[in-house]
Amino acid sequence: MTDDFSILIVDDEYSVRDSLFHWFKNDGYRVSAADSARAALEEFQKSEWDVVLLDIKMPEVDGMELQQRLREIAPTTVVIMITAHGTVETAVQALKYGAFDYLTKPVDPDELSRVVMKAVAHRRLQTENQKLKANIDNLVGQDEIVGQSAAMKKVLSLVDSLAATDVSVLIRGESGTGKEVIARAIHSRGSRRYFPLVPVNCGALPETLLEAELFGHERGAFTGARQRHKGNFEQANGGTLFLDEIGSVSAKTQVNLLRVLDTKEFTRIGGSQPLRVDFRLICATNQDLEQMVADKQFREDLYFRINVFRIDLPPLRERPGDIALLARHFMTRLSGQMEKRFTDFEPEALARLKRHPWPGNVRELANAIERAMVVGTGPRLLAEDLPFDGGTGSLRPADDSLSEIERSHIARILERTQWNVSQAAKTLGLDRATLYGKIKKYELRK
Amino acid sequence: MSRRPLLIVHFEWPAGVEPLVQLGVRLENPFRCEVRVLPEPIQVADCFDSRRAQYDSRRILERLLPLAGDGLVLGVTDMDLYLPVFTFVIGQALLGGRAAVISAYRLRQELYGFAADAERLATRMEKEALHELGHCHGLVHCLDSRCIMYAAATVSDVDLRQARFCPRCQRALSAVIDSEREGEERPTEQES
């Protein structure tokens, strides 16, 4: 019944070893016995042991000393001390050093069963916990950051340094540069990784809705509030709150947000009980917050509160060396999700990818690869499969400004999609609101 | 098809042979064995620890083993048993071994301040014998508290389990008995 668990008996008395050995054999455990600390350590060289029953009084190296050694070489092994009446104090001392429990000789069979079952349950939980943590580590590890350029190496180094701290971080970068990926990387590499990361797109929600989302509400707080709703602050408790497009937050919400960040307390809408929360804050924006502060559009105190440390993400066009690397990364990732198998790029396809200006940055590149893999047949991704042609994707003369390049690229995509804004936004790697903003800015018309 | 012999022996057992015969009858079917009861007590005085006033069950098993012959041997006593590291044991057998021993000492109602109950004692002894002989057939403890192979450290545990094997343990037991029979029936090279 328990043959997946192992017990090592360490006792210098043969009769004790023999009795316990057969007792646990009948229980179905994998059992071995050692007559000294040295023999026990040899057993640990051969295999792992879930539970060790350890006699305190042994010649040469005693049980207490061996327990210390086991803490170093097998910290997850559960140690149960066995003691004679005269050494109970020593056994209690062993508990302080991490022993799981102790038994006094002669042992009551019922007591032995109870303690060992408890130890096995503890070990089982420990093992399950380790597996779950490994699973979570695998899951959070999916948001890997790809890039060999000096700029991205610097970002990666910052992510590692910041992950170990709890400071508020502001991530700046154009749309599609991977601000949320960076936020997830900071979260998943830090001590809060086993708690949730709650992303909130502040730009996508009107003021009242954003506050309801952030603060949550009590039942009956407003029409339609049929039940209590936990807001993003509560959901992020213990973890990280990621506020994307923080520059879009209204003046009123800025005040409320600042109060929560300062006091770590908030009240649900319609509630009266202040609730304490503990989360790490990461914000992101593609706006010039300093200018917004100067223009009184963004509170200076909130700016300083969220901008304890800043990471600037380079746009993809400033790290052309990473384009091929990213393209291969997306191909590998998507190949795993699609029925089709893609293994390589046609040289012209790679050249075309490198020539493209990528106004939608990494998100646009990911979408382009995905579209090409849908259109193409594989296993080689061809230039003709890409959603832009070689001529229009070629580099512009140096005197073309970035905004001119962006304008013409957006215009071209809009024409190709016959002004289907949703489709064009997806191709460009932008959300619809941003694309509408750019259409207005560049005065583009059908 | 021959049945495997099971010899029941006793020491410090004042109740006489009759209860042992009754016990043997209850064991014949589960283990498909042929039970014999040795009328005379076996001599195991040297296994007695006068300081603890208990018999060392480990040493008892050593003494029983030569009596097993081609089959199994079950020792029965009215005295308390112990293993060196334990305060007491109700019964003991080595996994896959040929000898088992059980004690009626802690199965008696009198020990717990109740009136003697011969029927209850017989049922408890049957359960202990089934359990220990189950170990002799290679069965380990079962997690099903109703199964006879459920680990029992106290008399209430003994009462909790039923005098039968759960389907899983029964399958394992049958497989062991079948394989033993096949081994017996297979002709040797000399015979063929």
Side-chain angles (χ1 to χ4, degrees), chain A residues 94-166:
Chain A
L95 295 185
K96 289 182 188 165
Y97 289 118
F100 181 75
D101 209 336
Y102 73 90
L103 294 161
T104 311
K105 285 183 194 172
V107 181
D108 187 271
D110 193 30
E111 176 75 354
L112 178 71
S113 295
R114 192 183 60 75
V115 171
V116 171
M117 290 292 271
K118 222 168 73 178
V120 166
H122 176 79
R123 181 76 174 123
R124 188 172 277 144
L125 275 177
Q126 221 177 30
T127 312
E128 279 174 12
N129 209 10
Q130 281 168 351
K131 280 182 189 163
L132 285 172
K133 281 184 177 179
N135 286 347
I136 291 171
D137 286 342
N138 282 341
L139 284 174
V140 296
Q142 285 178 354
D143 281 327
E144 58 203 63
I145 305 161
V146 178
Q148 285 295 320
S149 60
M152 280 313 288
K153 279 184 178 168
K154 190 181 163 196
V155 168
L156 276 171
S157 155
L158 285 175
V159 165
D160 281 335
S161 313
L162 287 168
T165 72
D166 215 22

Side-chain angles (χ1 to χ4, degrees), chain A residues 231-263:
Chain A
N232 301 135
F233 292 141
E234 274 180 281
Q235 289 166 20
N237 197 20
T240 301
L241 181 67
F242 174 56
L243 299 180
D244 200 2
E245 295 195 38
I246 187 75
S248 310
V249 173
S250 72
K252 177 175 169 279
T253 308
Q254 284 181 38
V255 175
N256 293 337
L257 187 56
L258 184 63
R259 193 175 304 127
V260 177
L261 297 180
D262 280 342
T263 62

Side-chain angles (χ1 to χ4, degrees), chain A residues 1 14-16 18-20 22-23 25-28 105-110 112, chain B residues 52 58 83-89 93-95 135 140-143 151 153-154:
Chain A
M1 68 174 186
Y14 171 76
S15 61
V16 171
D18 188 52
S19 302
L20 290 173
H22 291 295
W23 185 267
K25 269 277 174 203
N26 284 354
D27 270 337
K105 285 183 194 172
V107 181
D108 187 271
D110 193 30
L112 178 71
Chain B
R52 295 182 61 144
R58 214 169 35 103
L83 275 167
V85 71
F86 291 111
T87 45
F88 70 91
V89 290
L94 300 188
L95 195 65
H135 283 318
V140 296
H141 288 151
C142 178
L143 287 174
T154 62

Side-chain angles (χ1 to χ4, degrees), chain B residues 100-166:
Chain B
V101 60
I102 60 168
S103 159
Y105 181 83
R106 289 177 192 264
L107 303 179
R108 291 188 179 280
Q109 286 289 78
E110 303 93 289
L111 190 72
Y112 309 98
F114 300 107
D117 185 336
E119 186 51 41
R120 183 170 291 197
L121 175 65
T123 305
R124 286 173 178 172
M125 288 190 66
E126 178 194 359
K127 287 179 177 180
E128 268 309 287
L130 284 169
H131 182 90
E132 298 306 337
L133 291 170
H135 283 318
C136 289
H137 285 80
L139 301 187
V140 296
H141 288 151
C142 178
L143 287 174
D144 183 348
S145 60
R146 292 161 305 175
C147 175
I148 195 61
M149 291 315 294
Y150 181 73
T154 62
V155 73
S156 39
D157 291 337
V158 175
D159 286 340
L160 188 69
R161 58 193 184 187
Q162 295 173 4
R164 59 181 176 77
F165 296 92
C166 71

